[in-house]
Amino acid sequence: EVHLLVSGGGLVQPGGSLRLSCAASGFTFSSYAMNWVRQAPGKGLEWVSTISGSGGSTYYADSVKGRFTISRDNSKNTLYLQMNSLRAEDTAVYYCAKEQRLVYGSGSVFSPYFDKWGQGTLVTVSS
Amino acid sequence: DIQMTQSPSSLSASVGDSVTIACRASQSISSHLNWYQQKPGKAPKVLIYAASSLQSGVPSRFSGSRSGTDFTLTISSLQPEDFATYYCQQSYITPYTFGQGTKLEIK
């Protein structure tokens, strides 16, 4: 059974740093891209970042580019999100999500979706 | 960035009703559109991927369709456990934008 356990959230002052972790089990971690998605209190979902299975490709939302870094350690089956220069607007529940892909068109086209999610961890940026 | 516009933002319905939630993309995304259900305090759960493919384990009363850049999620014969918030998401290109959500409430 796939399991994603998110940890590392908490209260941090503006300008501070925090590192989130997402420990994965139940699947071949290195074979799947992984994502971070966040949700501010009472608000909708916001995609934050994606990393390829090998870790060689990363993508970021403009709102976090240059401040957040996604990484993974495939030997430890763990995904990370290093968050620096935190702002009040970064306050949110952060989820990690495993990316599945529907492959079609003789393998030339794929359609990603997030098939498994961690439980989320709350990050509060406040003085 | 691709904007995803969901409607309505909220919806009241009764058990047994059929409801439709709409999502429009600001540009072509082919069929790279996913639907998620989220209950309070819980992580989202995928219902439909690639516009119309039903995720394993999801009841068949959930269905998705596409017409150009317009997508719909239909829930037929609502059950008590279906009252939740629903989000569409485009996965055509990063940033993988979500719609603003539709809260489905019991009438």
Side-chain angles (χ1 to χ4, degrees), chain B residues 93-104:
Chain B
I93 192 170
T94 59
Y96 291 152
T97 39
F98 289 88
Q100 76 274 26
T102 295
K103 187 173 184 179
L104 177 56

Side-chain angles (χ1 to χ4, degrees), chain A residues 49-114:
Chain A
S49 185
T50 298
I51 186 168
S52 63
S54 67
S57 297
T58 57
Y59 310 86
Y60 296 93
D62 285 346
S63 58
V64 307
K65 200 172 294 181
R67 300 187 300 122
F68 289 13
T69 302
I70 190 171
S71 63
R72 63 192 298 160
D73 185 337
N74 286 343
S75 69
K76 295 182 178 179
N77 289 350
T78 303
L79 172 72
Y80 302 101
L81 185 66
Q82 178 66 46
M83 304 185 294
N84 298 332
S85 302
L86 282 161
R87 307 165 179 167
E89 54 264 36
D90 296 318
T91 294
V93 173
Y94 285 73
Y95 297 100
C96 66
K98 170 182 169 284
E99 184 172 304
Q100 183 60 275
R101 295 179 172 185
L102 173 66
V103 179
Y104 53 99
S106 302
S108 62
V109 182
F110 63 87
S111 190
Y113 59 101
F114 301 167

Side-chain angles (χ1 to χ4, degrees), chain A residues 6-22:
Chain A
V6 185
S7 61
L11 175 63
V12 61
Q13 292 187 337
S17 298
L18 211 56
R19 188 177 83 156
L20 305 183
S21 299
C22 172

Side-chain angles (χ1 to χ4, degrees), chain A residues 33 35 97-103 110-117, chain B residues 33-36 46-50 53-56 89 91 96:
Chain A
N35 297 265
K98 170 182 169 284
E99 184 172 304
Q100 183 60 275
R101 295 179 172 185
L102 173 66
V103 179
F110 63 87
S111 190
Y113 59 101
F114 301 167
D115 68 330
K116 298 295 181 184
W117 296 63
Chain B
L33 188 284
N34 311 309
W35 290 99
Y36 299 88
V46 66
L47 302 173
I48 301 287
Y49 60 92
S53 296
L54 187 68
Q55 172 69 349
S56 176
Q89 177 210 27
S91 58
Y96 291 152

